[in-house]
Amino acid sequence: MGDAAREVLAGILRPWWMAAVDLLFPPRCQVCGTPEAFPLCERCWLEFPRIERPVCQVCGRPLRGPPDLLFVCVPCRHRRNPLRVRAFGRYEGRLRDAVHALKYRGRLALADPLGCALAQLLAQDAREAAPDALVPVPLHPRREARRGFNQAEELARAVGRYLHRPARRVLVRVRDTPSQTELDEDERRRNVRGAFAVRESVRGLRLVLVDDVVTTGSTLAECAAALRAAGAAEVLGVALAMALPQD
Ligand SMILES: [Zn+2]
Ligand SMILES: [Zn+2]
């Protein structure tokens, strides 16, 4: 093959070759794959199913029916010493896809925009935006070693960067609890009882617990109980996504 022919061929092949590299290592949205929208495209961001106010002041679930003076849902009126919880969105649609991409496909670059979403949620309340520390819900060390990261900790660090607050690994999971997905609320509560321990002083601190998904809230409640027992002054639970029954 002559030089000229080679050059022509290279000219034809180069765009193809560069396109192939882009296909293999594209700066794509880590949720839906839209090109040149790394790590999250605008459409995914806009389509996240946000939880709109009014929400129950205790459990953070959307309030239905005529407004209640106290903004507390009926089940929460009967709970003793409940944990206040807030979630950014519903665990469905693109937000569910985003949680799965972060957690099961290791798309850690998503932690930054998702942490920003949580920081925005906390920033709605000046007091909640300035905790002494963000505390990730821990995985059992064995599970964390297998996964290579803890998605709750990735989120807590990102929230901390946006709010200029430290993220601290204050809690450890001392018991590896079976997956909760098949359990009802009572079973979940029993499943996580005594599963967490506090490994450094939290006396007098205002803490925000961070998790990726909240379902019944039993894990967050158990973590909060451990922190309160260790002297934490105030605990708020936040999750990126909340599992809610379909309308
Ligand atoms: Zn997308
Ligand atoms: Zn409630």
Side-chain angles (χ1 to χ4, degrees):
M1 193 190 297
D3 281 347
R6 205 187 304 264
E7 232 169 69
V8 168
L9 195 58
I12 294 165
L13 284 179
R14 183 173 296 150
W16 170 86
W17 176 80
M18 286 168 69
V21 168
D22 266 354
L23 275 175
L24 287 171
F25 310 102
R28 286 169 183 269
C29 171
Q30 299 291 286
V31 179
C32 72
T34 296
E36 287 167 43
F38 182 85
L40 183 72
C41 75
E42 193 181 346
R43 182 153 169 227
C44 281
W45 172 253
L46 292 174
E47 286 188 8
F48 281 156
R50 290 160 172 76
I51 293 176
E52 308 288 354
R53 293 178 175 190
V55 296
C56 169
Q57 287 306 294
V58 178
C59 67
R61 290 184 167 77
L63 283 171
R64 287 152 201 274
D68 165 78
L69 189 61
L70 298 172
F71 288 97
V72 175
C73 75
V74 176
C76 283
R77 287 177 213 168
H78 304 290
R79 290 200 172 105
R80 269 187 300 155
N81 204 15
L83 172 68
R84 292 182 63 231
V85 174
R86 293 291 175 272
F88 165 73
R90 296 165 171 265
Y91 187 45
E92 59 191 44
R94 287 190 190 235
L95 191 55
R96 192 169 194 271
D97 295 345
V99 170
H100 283 203
L102 172 69
K103 188 169 173 173
Y104 301 122
R105 288 188 278 135
R107 303 289 169 87
L108 297 185
L110 283 172
D112 186 80
L114 299 177
C116 181
L118 273 179
Q120 287 181 350
L121 179 74
L122 288 167
Q124 291 174 7
D125 180 312
R127 193 172 160 76
E128 288 170 4
D132 291 307
L134 299 143
V135 177
V137 169
L139 293 175
H140 189 272
R142 210 167 24 233
R143 192 171 301 195
E144 184 170 345
R146 211 179 307 138
R147 190 170 287 168
F149 61 92
N150 171 3
Q151 67 282 356
E153 187 173 343
E154 300 294 324
L155 287 172
R157 287 190 192 288
V159 176
R161 282 196 297 278
Y162 281 100
L163 297 181
H164 305 287
R165 312 306 301 169
R168 285 177 55 191
R169 289 172 61 119
V170 163
L171 287 168
V172 278
R173 201 181 278 246
V174 289
R175 206 153 51 70
D176 197 3
T177 53
S179 168
Q180 305 245 80
T181 44
E182 302 294 314
L183 307 181
D184 70 22
E185 189 168 348
D186 274 349
E187 291 168 330
R188 281 169 185 251
R189 216 176 295 132
R190 279 197 297 275
N191 189 37
V192 292
R193 193 163 294 158
F196 302 98
V198 179
R199 65 177 184 183
E200 39 187 283
S201 172
V202 292
R203 190 155 296 282
L205 298 185
R206 291 194 302 116
L207 302 171
V208 171
L209 268 168
V210 180
D211 208 353
D212 52 342
V213 180
V214 55
T215 305
T216 63
S218 54
T219 301
L220 284 174
E222 191 64 25
C223 287
L227 293 170
R228 285 169 177 160
E234 218 175 281
V235 185
L236 169 72
V238 297
L240 184 66
M242 181 179 268
L244 293 167
Q246 297 290 326
D247 292 311

